[in-house]
Amino acid sequence: MSQYFYRFFKTNDRRDQFISGSIRFVNIEEYKEIEDAQRRDEDEGEPKGKYQADRQVLKISPETGSLIESEYQFGDVNISGSSMNKFFVVCMSDKGANLQLLSEKFGKYIVRVNDIEKLLHLLNIARRKISWSVGKIMFTQVKYDRGNYLQMNEGDPHLPFEYYYAQKSENFASEVEWRLVLIGGLEAAGRREKFIEVGSLEKIVTKIDL
């Protein structure tokens, strides 16, 4: 894991809000329709992949719609998933980020988080007050393999749970993204965001202006 991570903001006020300890988690579904086309991901929260295996192929009569024959062929099997949980995220980029490139995309007001473990600890203390949260807040790396070939257990093929909140397409790979993830149960339905207050972060962050 990188020793530090970057968070980008469109305004200085938003950055100061973060440094004051007011951490804004956004429902990942918001990114499907966000106005900023550069940040929009219409497949956010919908994990997808494929693997190869013997799969049943049906031949249907175009005239009658009835089954003509059935056979097994080796080939691609597409797999996708959905979850009843709601996922709220804070997006960051690791030390491999091109700050100039990403500042143009996400905002020129930058915070470098120098102690992500401390921030995660503070968030999980505060999380206990959220009645609808499920499990601890996590910090996880985004995988850029949506729709690609994935390693699957042929006896029980399924997508990893983290893909529901941390999988994107390859065209987003330059973001080298990591996410703080807050999981909500059914009671979180309809929520667009959640602010968690953890107190001042001045001792563990650094402002960067380009």
Side-chain angles (χ1 to χ4, degrees), residues 38-158:
Q38 291 189 86
R39 300 169 61 194
R40 188 185 306 132
D41 182 358
E42 296 176 353
D43 294 321
E44 185 70 81
E46 299 178 8
K48 298 176 183 177
K50 58 185 176 182
Y51 63 99
Q52 291 194 316
D54 287 323
R55 75 270 198 268
Q56 189 175 24
V57 177
L58 305 178
K59 293 185 179 181
I60 306 297
S61 169
E63 289 80 19
T64 65
S66 59
L67 177 66
I68 299 175
E69 64 176 302
S70 172
E71 63 180 2
Y72 282 87
Q73 297 178 359
F74 185 80
D76 290 349
V77 178
N78 294 314
I79 185 170
S80 61
S82 61
S83 174
M84 296 295 290
N85 290 315
K86 303 301 176 183
F87 304 102
F88 300 79
V89 299
V90 177
C91 304
M92 300 185 188
S93 297
D94 70 24
K95 64 181 182 181
N98 182 325
L99 296 188
Q100 187 62 51
L101 176 67
L102 295 185
S103 67
E104 293 172 1
K105 185 174 185 178
F106 299 127
K108 65 179 182 178
Y109 302 96
I110 307 170
V111 165
R112 187 179 72 196
V113 178
N114 302 314
D115 191 343
I116 192 66
E117 292 184 3
K118 177 66 173 179
L119 175 56
L120 189 59
H121 175 70
L122 293 172
L123 285 167
N124 273 310
I125 291 174
R127 180 205 61 81
R128 298 170 187 168
K129 300 178 182 179
I130 305 174
S131 62
W132 48 261
S133 68
V134 178
K136 290 184 177 182
I137 293 173
M138 300 168 289
F139 189 58
T140 188
Q141 186 175 20
V142 171
K143 305 297 184 184
Y144 297 102
D145 58 3
R146 181 187 292 139
N148 294 356
Y149 286 105
L150 305 174
Q151 292 292 329
M152 291 287 173
N153 180 344
E154 291 188 15
D156 181 26
H158 65 276

Side-chain angles (χ1 to χ4, degrees), residues 6 12 14 18 21 55 75 108 110 133 155 171 180 189 199 201 209:
Y6 298 101
N12 193 42
R14 285 283 192 180
F18 181 89
R55 75 270 198 268
K108 65 179 182 178
I110 307 170
S133 68
N171 55 308
L180 290 163
L201 300 178
D209 292 309

